[in-house]
Amino acid sequence: MSPRTTGGLGLVRSSNVGKPTWTLVGTGVLAHARTDHIHTTDLDATAVDKQLLRSGVEDVVEAVDRYSAKWAATPGGADWLHVQHVPVRRFVAEIVRKLLALNSWVPFASAPGPLILAPYEGLVGLRSSSSREYLAYTVTWSGVAYVLGAAAPHNPTRSAQLRNRARTSTANTEPSPLPSDLGRQDVLALSWTSRHAATLTPVLAELARGGQRSLLLDLATDAAERCSAGPAMGFELRAAPSDLFTVSGTAEGLHRPDDEHVVQVEGHGIQLARLVRLLSVLLETSGGCTQPSWRTVVRAESWLDDILFSVANVPPHGGSRRGVELEGVR
């Protein structure tokens, strides 16, 4: 395959005392390569077996769960992997997809070997389609080489795009105080998209006609997703404080040293400590209410606990009171 000249990275076969080694290089180098080589965009465009992809993702996520799920949990006992399962699974799927594409490239399949990453390339990136509400993370090929064990003394965890993203100050660790006039409620409902609001408001209006007092908390951080219901519908509507979902910062407990724990995916050994270190990036930047940072999750849980206690006198973290309902749609 002839190399492209549009920039980016390529993979070229090199050697390490006779053992096949594959090195990530700038595509300018590929024009002069005398050994097997390919542009990484061609690997990314390679179709892979969907069943192998699904089973590989399942194996890796299960291994991460057994290995590290208890390393960090909210005060209420929700572990980090459960809270961020969807973005974690998508990130793992990118890694597995890249490994399957690599295996399907005949030169590598016939002479597999370790990957040497590109110095100074960030290991975790952010797609241009990301928004404040949803951060679409991506793993770079250097990130793949890293979880397979490549040395990365000069590689930042985050790509330049992710590092340059506006970061919210972590100085404010507590959200705004609770309103003092919430009053006793029979139902506490949560909405964070217009779809949730459209589902909940008719139900709450019907409960109001039956004499039930309800409070709808609008958690949306995107103006287009906020609830527009008014008091005429018979229930109270309050918005969450604007600073509730804005805190970024380190995900405590997920940065562990390398160890011997590995999960095998189609002949590749993924080092779990390194994988969790990359996954921690997904938990350290706030993406609004739909994909909050880990620090935001912890404080939002405490804030909602306080709200529940205030309107229904329910003890925090799993307590209950007869006749009180917590309603939410996800």
Side-chain angles (χ1 to χ4, degrees):
M1 183 174 295
S2 60
R4 299 178 182 179
T5 58
T6 55
L9 292 177
L11 191 66
V12 62
R13 179 174 177 172
S14 52
S15 62
N16 183 13
V17 194
K19 182 179 180 180
T21 304
W22 299 88
T23 304
L24 288 165
V25 298
T27 52
V29 176
L30 297 187
H32 309 287
R34 296 178 178 274
T35 58
D36 293 317
H37 54 276
I38 189 173
H39 199 293
T40 55
T41 56
D42 290 322
L43 286 173
D44 288 331
T46 301
V48 301
D49 185 289
K50 292 182 178 179
Q51 181 56 45
L52 289 178
L53 177 61
R54 283 194 295 267
S55 62
V57 171
E58 289 293 339
D59 290 345
V60 175
V61 172
E62 288 178 6
V64 170
D65 190 2
R66 292 191 301 270
Y67 176 67
S68 64
K70 303 306 180 185
W71 286 4
T74 69
D79 66 67
W80 71 271
L81 187 57
H82 175 78
V83 172
Q84 297 285 14
H85 183 80
V86 172
V88 164
R89 190 177 185 88
R90 287 173 175 164
F91 189 81
V92 167
E94 279 213 12
I95 295 175
V96 175
R97 179 181 293 277
K98 279 179 162 60
L99 295 178
L100 293 177
L102 190 59
N103 282 359
S104 68
W105 184 44
V106 174
F108 182 88
S110 60
L115 303 185
I116 298 177
L117 49 68
Y120 304 103
E121 184 187 26
L123 307 178
V124 179
L126 197 61
R127 294 191 186 280
S128 58
S129 59
S130 293
S131 66
R132 180 190 176 196
E133 297 306 303
Y134 183 76
L135 303 180
Y137 295 94
T138 183
V139 63
T140 66
W141 276 95
S142 288
V144 172
Y146 173 76
V147 298
L148 296 180
H154 307 297
N155 290 70
T157 305
R158 294 166 173 80
S159 68
Q161 182 187 16
L162 192 51
R163 294 197 304 273
N164 292 337
R165 177 182 166 83
R167 300 295 299 276
T168 303
S169 171
T170 60
N172 179 23
T173 57
E174 296 296 332
S176 300
L178 298 179
S180 59
D181 58 344
L182 290 177
R184 172 72 166 79
Q185 304 289 338
D186 297 302
V187 176
L188 174 62
L190 307 177
S191 169
W192 54 93
T193 73
S194 57
R195 184 180 71 256
H196 298 155
T199 303
L200 286 168
T201 51
V203 176
L204 299 181
E206 180 65 25
L207 290 173
R209 286 190 285 272
Q212 297 284 316
R213 291 172 52 87
S214 302
L215 170 63
L216 174 58
L217 280 179
D218 188 352
L219 306 182
T221 48
D222 181 349
E225 298 294 343
R226 290 174 187 155
C227 180
S228 59
M233 298 192 73
F235 58 88
E236 188 170 0
L237 173 66
R238 294 291 184 96
S242 60
D243 57 355
L244 183 61
F245 293 101
T246 59
V247 175
S248 301
T250 303
E252 303 292 345
L254 300 187
H255 295 255
R256 304 288 181 94
D258 293 350
D259 56 32
E260 73 283 1
H261 294 281
V262 174
V263 57
Q264 293 292 328
V265 176
E266 297 298 312
H268 300 274
I270 296 176
Q271 296 189 12
L272 288 173
R274 291 189 170 202
L275 175 57
V276 173
R277 210 170 298 148
L278 294 193
L279 290 172
S280 71
V281 174
L282 281 59
L283 279 67
E284 293 176 350
T285 304
S286 182
C289 65
T290 57
Q291 194 176 322
S293 71
W294 180 247
R295 292 184 66 183
T296 289
V297 167
V298 170
R299 79 169 188 172
E301 183 191 76
S302 297
W303 187 82
L304 289 169
D305 261 358
D306 291 341
I307 287 280
L308 188 58
F309 181 76
S310 176
V311 302
N313 197 27
V314 174
H317 301 318
S320 62
R321 175 175 174 165
R322 185 177 178 83
V324 175
E325 300 173 73
L326 176 62
E327 297 286 348
V329 178
R330 180 156 189 150

